[in-house]
Amino acid sequence: TVSTHHPQTWTNRINEVSKMALLAWEKETGIELVQINGQRRYGGPPPGWVGGPPPADTEVYITRLPQDVYENTLIPLFQSVGKLYEFRLMMTFSGLNRGFAYARYASLQEARKAIATLHRFQLRQGCAIVVCRSTQKCELLLSGLAASVSRQELEATLQVVTEGIHSVTLHASPGQRQAKLAVLKYRSHEAAALAKKALMEGNLSFREARMRVDWLDPQLKQKLQLCKEEPSSSRVQGGESLAVPRPAALPLSLQKVLACLNVLCWKFHLRTPLFIIKRVLVKPNGWQQFWYQVLIPGYHVPISGFTWVSQDRQGQSECEKVKVVAALHLLRVLGESL
């Protein structure tokens, strides 16, 4: 948890005047803002709140915000139409906002008033903001996947680099013969939002292809539901499947993946793989980037790559998570080249 007063929050001199105005406003009002996981939060509950939280449908979504606008402008504006339970502004690491925020009110009537009053409000000349009902989205769309990607392989990788994933479904990409789309369903809106942020910031690539991450559009969702989901594919060679078994539970067992890898190496007369893992970057929200390299005595080239992992919450160390990703990468390469 990082308060806005913590020097780590102000690592960049971007937009310094507005930042200093925000700090002065916090000091004057006594309001405390807490930044964690790429969002800055007020309330939840605010000081003096009595009782439990209001229902989920009291939250409104605010977008098209200028990136140099902060809570000293936004909170008084949204408090002017009703009692705020919580206000969340999405932030970049440079200290700018990400262009959107969420305001949760004490009642449904106040949330509706905020939409009626502040939608298309001119925050400054030529800058009309959008205020609408917040939908609890739980599904992401991953596009740009190669046609050869299997669901098991993608699901296993996503389980390592994100948390709370419920299911993964693959579909043929409309209008692109050699591409697939994946619909990623998470257990909650918060889990999906954090996964989207992590996948975007990690610049995720799969099979050397750059991928795009978006919220799943309802119209596209309906269109995909009319099409049959692709069957789970596995690469078969010599009568035996080389695909990674679909994980039964989180996290994916390192032992199972290594066992599968060792069987494959033995089959092709290769020796036990050696793993080299180095942490190269740690972000304030706890995500860490690792470089890995796998050497296989008897194989002509080492296999290397980068991956992002989160802090351990499932009883599995960061090193084990990286080994899972590296082993899956190696299984894919060996399955394609041997």
Side-chain angles (χ1 to χ4, degrees):
T1 301
V2 181
S3 167
T4 53
H5 302 291
H6 196 292
Q8 276 189 333
T9 310
W10 311 113
T11 54
N12 200 308
R13 297 182 70 85
I14 291 175
N15 204 25
E16 193 169 11
V17 173
S18 294
K19 288 175 179 176
M20 298 316 294
L22 173 64
L23 291 174
W25 174 78
E26 285 185 86
K27 187 174 180 180
E28 180 185 341
T29 60
I31 283 178
E32 182 182 0
L33 303 175
V34 177
Q35 184 163 329
I36 186 168
N37 287 332
Q39 61 181 334
R40 202 157 58 207
R41 185 190 302 260
Y42 157 75
W49 181 269
V50 178
D57 59 4
T58 59
E59 185 176 81
V60 299
Y61 172 65
I62 308 143
T63 189
R64 296 190 186 170
L65 294 172
Q67 285 194 279
D68 58 351
V69 169
Y70 296 130
E71 291 88 344
N72 54 318
T73 298
L74 297 171
I75 287 179
L77 175 65
F78 282 87
Q79 278 181 329
S80 69
V81 296
K83 185 176 181 180
L84 279 179
Y85 172 77
E86 181 182 69
F87 189 90
R88 296 181 291 128
L89 182 63
M90 304 302 119
M91 300 296 297
T92 69
F93 285 108
S94 65
L96 296 171
N97 77 61
R98 297 174 71 91
F100 66 100
Y102 297 89
R104 192 169 175 184
Y105 285 91
S107 68
L108 179 59
Q109 289 74 19
E110 289 168 306
R112 287 173 175 166
K113 184 180 178 183
I115 294 169
T117 308
L118 298 176
H119 179 54
R120 296 182 180 172
F121 178 81
Q122 292 274 340
L123 202 57
R124 60 173 63 147
Q125 186 65 35
C127 178
I129 62 174
V130 170
V131 183
C132 58
R133 187 172 66 89
S134 174
T135 55
Q136 298 296 305
K137 299 178 181 178
C138 297
E139 292 175 303
L140 301 177
L141 180 71
L142 205 58
S143 54
L145 292 167
S148 57
V149 168
S150 73
R151 187 181 67 185
Q152 293 98 328
E153 182 183 10
L154 179 60
E155 185 175 16
T157 301
L158 290 167
Q159 285 176 347
V160 173
V161 300
T162 68
E163 292 187 358
I165 194 161
H166 181 267
S167 65
V168 175
T169 55
L170 278 179
H171 303 268
S173 182
Q176 290 181 283
R177 288 185 179 180
Q178 299 302 315
K180 286 182 183 176
L181 299 174
V183 175
L184 319 178
K185 188 172 183 179
Y186 284 82
R187 298 185 188 281
S188 68
H189 172 72
E190 184 179 8
L194 291 175
K196 181 175 183 287
K197 181 173 181 292
L199 294 172
M200 289 174 68
E201 289 181 352
N203 295 319
L204 185 68
S205 63
F206 206 75
R207 299 279 185 95
E208 285 69 54
R210 305 301 302 171
M211 290 186 296
R212 178 177 172 139
V213 186
D214 298 287
W215 290 109
L216 178 60
D217 179 80
Q219 290 183 330
L220 178 60
K221 179 179 179 179
Q222 189 174 23
K223 185 176 180 180
L224 293 175
Q225 284 174 342
L226 295 174
C227 305
K228 189 177 179 181
E229 179 193 345
E230 289 215 347
S232 178
S233 61
S234 60
R235 177 179 294 276
V236 177
Q237 188 165 328
E240 292 186 32
S241 172
L242 304 183
V244 183
R246 184 171 185 223
L250 294 176
L252 185 66
S253 166
L254 176 62
Q255 287 74 23
K256 287 182 180 179
V257 178
L258 289 181
C260 188
L261 181 58
N262 288 336
V263 167
L264 189 60
C265 289
W266 173 80
K267 180 177 179 179
F268 290 102
H269 310 290
L270 301 172
R271 294 174 63 187
T272 304
L274 305 171
F275 292 84
I276 302 169
I277 294 171
K278 291 182 181 179
R279 184 167 55 194
V280 295
L281 185 62
V282 178
K283 289 198 172 182
N285 63 357
W287 283 87
Q288 302 176 50
Q289 188 180 40
F290 287 82
W291 171 84
Y292 61 82
Q293 187 172 72
V294 189
L295 306 170
I296 315 175
Y299 191 65
H300 57 290
V301 292
I303 306 300
S304 60
F306 290 88
T307 188
W308 288 91
V309 300
S310 65
Q311 290 176 321
D312 178 46
R313 293 183 192 174
Q314 301 284 347
Q316 188 179 36
S317 72
E318 284 83 359
C319 185
E320 285 179 325
K321 291 180 180 180
V322 177
K323 275 193 174 182
V324 169
V325 173
L328 288 169
H329 186 176
L330 192 53
L331 277 168
R332 185 175 73 242
V333 171
L334 289 177
E336 290 175 348
S337 62
L338 293 175

